[in-house]
Amino acid sequence: MGAELESRLAGVREGIADAASAAGRSVDELTLIVVTKFHPASLVRELHGLGVTDVGENRHPEARDKVEATADLGLTWHFIGQLQTNKAKQVARYADAVHSIDRPELVSALSSETRTIDGFVQINLTADAGRGGTSDADLEVIVERVLDAPGIVLRGVMAVAPLDADPRAAFATVRRASERVQKLAPNAQALSMGMSHDYREAILEGATHLRIGTAITGNRPV
Ligand SMILES: *Cc1c(COP(=O)(O)O)cnc(C)c1O
């Protein structure tokens, strides 16, 4: 596992550097979030040993357990999955960032007077409301809610490119949504987009936060 993990991580880092250079951007603008869902805390520990600082998880309580098991490492934890309102308060206690903010009730549940997290508003790029993410029409409404919520610093927007569409075009849509967000929140410039199979296109469209799982970890255990 060790050597393979190291070489897959190196391959992705090279791919990121390559795409950044093609886009005329610096890799310093890019945060690599390694998605470790379904993998054990020991893998997170190995990744830390290879210089990984940011980790992504999509389910509570799996995320909570891994945060506890690796608390000595000082990692930055990103919650990237669809989040039920009744679990949000717990997630807000351990996550450093939540990328899947998509409705007003979730904003209220994540908001806190005692702990601050980074927030990304997720945009749904499909016609299927069950996929998570706000509809285009509701974008400004959610953004205003986050801006009014104590304990959430709006960093930007997040999206998953639909499987059946051209990723570059999908990411261009996200970039345009981000421009709308920045009219309300000039500092919320982050773009969380790009996964194992489309991070190059995401970087070319301005991604700042890449969420990459299998290209680094190998296939997820079932
Ligand atoms: C699993 C997941 C990823 C990583 O996907 P890979 O294809 O394994 O890179 C990124 N974002 C979200 C929201 C995910 O659930």
Side-chain angles (χ1 to χ4, degrees):
M1 184 70 194
E4 279 175 40
L5 184 68
E6 187 168 6
S7 82
R8 281 192 302 258
L9 178 62
V12 168
R13 282 180 170 146
E14 241 172 75
I16 290 172
D18 200 64
S21 132
R25 303 179 59 200
S26 159
V27 286
D28 299 341
E29 300 169 28
L30 304 173
T31 300
L32 168 60
I33 301 166
V34 181
V35 179
T36 50
K37 62 192 184 197
F38 300 101
H39 289 283
S42 56
L43 182 98
V44 175
R45 204 163 273 285
E46 266 190 88
L47 287 165
H48 172 263
L50 297 170
V52 168
T53 56
D54 289 72
V55 205
E57 287 285 331
N58 73 336
R59 291 190 309 183
H60 177 81
E62 179 185 344
R64 177 200 60 203
D65 293 348
K66 273 182 243 180
V67 171
E68 277 175 13
T70 60
D72 56 309
L73 303 180
L75 292 162
T76 298
W77 287 91
H78 300 258
F79 194 92
I80 61 173
Q82 269 183 273
L83 183 51
Q84 292 166 23
T85 309
N86 63 2
K87 293 181 178 160
K89 279 217 179 321
Q90 297 175 69
V91 170
R93 284 193 201 115
Y94 61 77
D96 299 294
V98 172
H99 291 236
S100 43
I101 300 176
D102 62 358
R103 53 194 197 282
E105 314 85 75
L106 194 52
V107 177
S108 315
L110 289 169
S111 179
S112 157
E113 301 282 352
T114 54
R115 190 168 185 272
T116 299
I117 59 172
D118 282 345
F120 292 74
V121 169
Q122 183 178 353
I123 295 164
N124 186 355
L125 297 174
T126 75
D128 175 2
R131 294 301 299 268
T134 179
S135 68
D136 200 53
D138 288 339
L139 179 61
E140 275 85 1
V141 175
I142 305 293
V143 165
E144 295 279 17
R145 289 290 191 113
V146 176
L147 292 174
D148 286 343
I152 312 177
V153 175
L154 183 66
R155 294 292 313 280
V157 295
M158 177 275 220
V160 176
L163 281 176
D164 54 359
D166 167 28
R168 185 84 195 250
F171 295 138
T173 302
V174 183
R175 194 167 40 70
R176 285 192 297 272
S178 166
E179 285 161 11
R180 277 166 62 194
V181 170
Q182 288 177 56
K183 293 214 173 91
L184 302 172
N187 293 328
Q189 295 169 3
L191 288 173
S192 169
M193 59 190 196
M195 307 180 12
S196 289
H197 297 292
D198 55 21
Y199 69 83
R200 183 179 175 86
E201 289 83 356
I203 292 169
L204 292 171
E205 281 303 329
T208 60
H209 291 67
L210 312 165
R211 309 178 314 268
I212 302 182
T214 47
I216 293 170
T217 64
N219 288 334
R220 289 184 267 274
V222 274

